[in-house]
Amino acid sequence: MAATFRRRLHRGAASTAVAALVLAALTASQAPGATGAAVAKRRPAPPPADVPIDGGSAYYTDLPPLKSPVPPHGSPHTGKGPAAGRGPAEAGLPATVLAAYKKAATAIDASDPGCKLPWQLLAGIGKVESGQARGGAVDAEGTTLRPILGPQLNGHGFARITDTDAGRYDGDLTHDRAVGPMQFIPSTWSNGGPDGTGWGADGNGDGKKDPHNVFDAALAAGGYLCAGDRDLTAQDDLDRAILGYNHSDEYLRTVLSWYAFYRNGTHEVPDGKGVLPVHRDTGRSGDGHGGRSGDDHGGRSGDKRHPGHGPGGKPDKSPRPGGSGKPGKGQHHPGKPGRPDGTRPTPGDTQPPAPKPTPTPSPEPEHPTTLVRVGDQDLTATAGTEFATPPQVRAQDDRGKAVAGVPVRFTLPPATDARFPQGATAVTVKTDKDGLATAPTLRAGDRTGDFRIRVSTVRHTAPAVEVGATVKARPAPKADKLARTSDKELTATAGKAFAEDAVEIKATYRGELAAGVAVTATMVTNDPQRPVENDKGPYFKDPEAGGRDGGKPVRTLTGLTTDANGLLKLPKIYTDAYPGTFLLRLTTADGAVLTVKLKVAAPAGS
């Protein structure tokens, strides 16, 4: 997979200390079977040859807060800067992003239980790749409010990948860029999967695969991490899966650090309120204009800047969470030992200040565990009409209590041409105070038969339910009266034809125009008791039989139908050599009958 991930390696004096601290933090909370010492000694094998690697793009290298109240000397977390004292805040995950990770893990567990994908691993990658979609800057359906784009993969410090999506996902018509909260290369999303169809997935059930949607991206990332029959409780498989994102030891250690951190506990925060990474990547953009200056571009000599400095080693004056934007109190002092409050120790001062108590995260709001179909019968409508009852479900928790405010998506299958308003095939509504989600009016199309409407939660992992629906055929249109639209006498000379459109009729039912009525036209004998098809006199031509003049003579036509105004113009009528008065009989299945006289005069001088 070419899920492209950013590489911002802050090298220099603090690098060794950072790695050591990460490994120490992992010792107590690493994935099953892993220890800090094991990670320190292991040089992970590269991913399988058939798994594409990333485009060499940059990623965030912020590390989770250390549990020790006093970081060791030289730690990049020394001081009161943003990296220090952010434990409770860093454990807060934006509601929609958190729901996307959990929903993806649940879906993967159902389809590939042997993988044992923990949602915290998706959260660790999402943190490193996009800062949890920029702190949860997504709409109610999980789509980022602004595109998250990586730098142009033009071969200058990155892989060279010329445009593969015509700018569809990244807005770039010359080269690809990594896109979305999980940073996929467009070609990987569209056609880089094991079956050639791409790793893209539809995680929120809207019928689309959008890398800018966190539900879709999280499910796609989960599918990639589990590819190749991986068991993510096995350390080698876990390492290989992460390295498939970005084949870098530092990337592996950073993701594992966040994975371990999130396994120790998280809580939900409102969308848009998540903690943004301190080391902001200037290459990320929302307008397609990526690019950066002074970074390590996955192949350059390395960025000697310390955290808290901008491109080229100059101080970064952009505001940061928990900081004033100026060096000093509240900022990061890399490589300088000191107390957690940022002051330098005095000789003999060896007692650390007492740690501040960690606030208890607020309890998560109630989530639905079940969607329940409301109504005992399947929905029924006649083709072209509205369903009398809209699809409806109830969201409830494990105690049977209604849950309000839950986004619920109703999705129509491709097998039907029924549609919601404005021709929509999927709609999202929120449950009301009684936990009820009611879809807007559903209108049946022309296609008859049964279909199933899929109903699922957008942010939560409650199992989807289905609502059955049936579209019945329209009843055959009826007509109880046929009449000519003109009282003009119909005449022709033997061997000639009647005027074009000589016979036009109107069908009505109970005085109203009757559209779509099937009419049969027959040239009949003059026998009033038992008229039968005549074998001489006026006739039609069979257009399906071919011939220079449009086909052989026929004296009965079926399949004629009145138009939307209840009108029908008969095809051209021809005559043979027989003069006289002949009858044209028009009938409907409902018994309406109209007899029209056709007069054929002998040729002059005969």
Side-chain angles (χ1 to χ4, degrees):
M1 149 156 183
T4 300
F5 306 103
R6 311 195 207 305
R7 180 171 302 163
R8 173 172 290 216
L9 305 179
H10 297 286
R11 299 187 177 93
S15 297
T16 304
V18 170
L21 292 172
V22 171
L23 300 179
L26 288 174
T27 301
S29 58
Q30 186 55 270
T35 65
V39 174
K41 295 177 181 178
R42 184 172 57 246
R43 292 286 298 177
D50 59 342
V51 178
I53 60 173
D54 62 40
S57 196
Y59 57 80
Y60 292 123
T61 56
D62 280 9
L63 297 175
L66 297 177
K67 296 182 179 180
S68 171
V70 182
H73 292 333
S75 167
H77 292 286
T78 303
K80 284 188 176 180
R86 288 192 299 163
E90 288 285 8
L93 293 174
T96 300
V97 177
L98 176 61
Y101 297 149
K102 290 183 176 180
K103 189 167 188 176
T106 299
I108 295 293
D109 185 61
S111 62
D112 187 5
C115 177
K116 304 179 183 65
L117 171 69
W119 67 261
Q120 293 92 339
L121 178 58
L122 294 173
I125 291 175
K127 176 68 173 180
V128 175
E129 294 307 327
S130 66
Q132 311 298 14
R134 291 200 188 99
V138 297
D139 61 21
E141 296 185 6
T143 302
T144 56
L145 301 180
R146 290 185 299 120
I148 301 175
L149 305 176
Q152 191 180 68
L153 299 176
N154 54 16
H156 299 299
F158 307 102
R160 178 178 174 81
I161 304 178
T162 55
D163 179 54
T164 63
D165 65 335
R168 175 185 178 186
Y169 297 122
D170 57 12
D172 194 322
L173 297 176
T174 59
H175 295 83
D176 274 351
R177 299 170 184 263
V179 296
M182 301 302 276
Q183 289 293 279
F184 279 83
I185 294 176
S187 58
T188 300
W189 182 266
S190 300
N191 54 32
D195 57 359
T197 59
W199 291 100
D202 178 13
N204 61 356
D206 63 356
K208 298 182 294 184
K209 299 178 181 180
D210 182 4
H212 297 286
N213 182 279
V214 69
F215 288 94
D216 294 357
L219 182 59
Y224 170 71
L225 292 169
C226 289
D229 297 323
R230 288 177 180 139
D231 177 358
L232 297 183
T233 61
Q235 190 64 46
D236 286 344
D237 279 359
L238 178 65
D239 291 348
R240 241 189 313 271
I242 297 172
L243 287 169
Y245 258 87
N246 191 305
H247 193 63
S248 156
D249 287 354
E250 181 156 348
Y251 180 84
L252 174 67
R253 287 192 293 269
T254 305
V255 170
L256 288 176
S257 297
W258 284 107
Y259 170 41
F261 178 75
Y262 290 136
R263 285 178 51 150
N264 284 334
T266 61
H267 60 277
E268 182 181 294
V269 298
D271 289 342
K273 300 298 183 182
V275 175
L276 293 174
V278 176
H279 308 149
R280 303 192 182 193
D281 184 347
T282 56
R284 289 183 182 86
S285 70
D287 56 8
H289 299 291
R292 59 175 60 74
S293 170
D295 287 353
D296 171 18
H297 296 307
R300 296 186 180 178
S301 60
D303 185 355
K304 303 301 182 182
R305 291 173 295 158
H306 294 296
H309 287 186
K314 297 180 181 180
D316 185 351
K317 298 183 179 180
S318 60
R320 289 179 164 81
S324 63
K326 297 180 179 180
K329 185 177 181 180
Q331 285 299 317
H332 213 54
H333 294 278
K336 295 183 179 181
R339 301 188 183 95
D341 63 0
T343 61
R344 298 293 298 276
T346 57
D349 183 4
T350 58
Q351 296 298 321
K356 295 182 179 179
T358 300
T360 302
S362 57
E364 294 188 9
E366 292 182 350
H367 295 316
T369 58
T370 308
L371 291 178
V372 180
R373 166 76 198 282
V374 177
D376 297 330
Q377 302 297 322
D378 286 349
L379 310 179
T380 303
T382 300
T385 67
E386 294 179 351
F387 285 84
T389 303
Q392 189 178 57
V393 298
R394 181 174 186 264
Q396 60 188 40
D397 60 19
D398 53 5
R399 296 169 295 174
K401 180 181 177 182
V403 182
V406 178
V408 175
R409 177 171 286 274
F410 295 81
T411 305
L412 300 173
T416 183
D417 57 355
R419 293 294 183 265
F420 293 114
Q422 285 78 51
T425 58
V427 293
T428 300
V429 297
K430 286 188 176 181
T431 55
D432 61 18
K433 61 182 179 64
D434 298 317
L436 294 177
T438 305
T441 302
L442 178 62
R443 186 176 186 84
D446 294 328
R447 195 177 303 171
T448 60
D450 300 331
F451 63 92
R452 312 290 291 178
I453 305 168
R454 187 176 187 273
V455 189
S456 59
T457 56
V458 174
R459 296 185 179 179
H460 306 289
T461 58
V465 297
E466 291 186 339
V467 176
T470 301
V471 178
K472 297 181 178 180
R474 297 182 180 91
K478 295 182 178 181
D480 54 16
K481 184 178 180 180
L482 296 174
R484 283 187 64 198
T485 58
S486 171
D487 56 3
K488 183 179 180 180
E489 187 178 61
L490 299 173
T491 62
T493 301
K496 304 291 184 180
F498 287 85
E500 293 279 356
D501 302 330
V503 181
E504 182 182 59
I505 64 172
K506 175 177 64 176
T508 57
Y509 181 71
R510 297 179 181 178
E512 299 291 333
L513 294 173
V517 176
V519 178
T520 299
T522 307
M523 301 295 180
V524 297
T525 63
N526 288 333
D527 185 349
Q529 300 300 322
R530 190 178 180 184
V532 294
E533 183 179 282
N534 207 337
D535 60 355
K536 60 177 64 68
Y539 61 89
F540 303 103
K541 286 188 177 182
D542 182 4
E544 297 181 0
R548 185 182 64 182
D549 297 326
K552 64 181 181 179
V554 294
R555 289 185 167 85
T556 298
L557 284 183
T558 59
L560 303 172
T561 307
T562 59
D563 63 16
N565 298 315
L567 301 177
L568 170 63
K569 291 182 179 180
L570 267 63
K572 191 174 183 177
I573 301 173
Y574 299 87
T575 67
D576 55 16
Y578 294 94
T581 299
F582 300 88
L583 301 180
L584 168 62
R585 191 167 187 260
L586 303 162
T587 60
T588 70
D590 301 305
V593 178
L594 172 65
T595 301
V596 179
K597 289 184 178 181
L598 301 174
K599 292 185 178 181
V600 180
S606 62

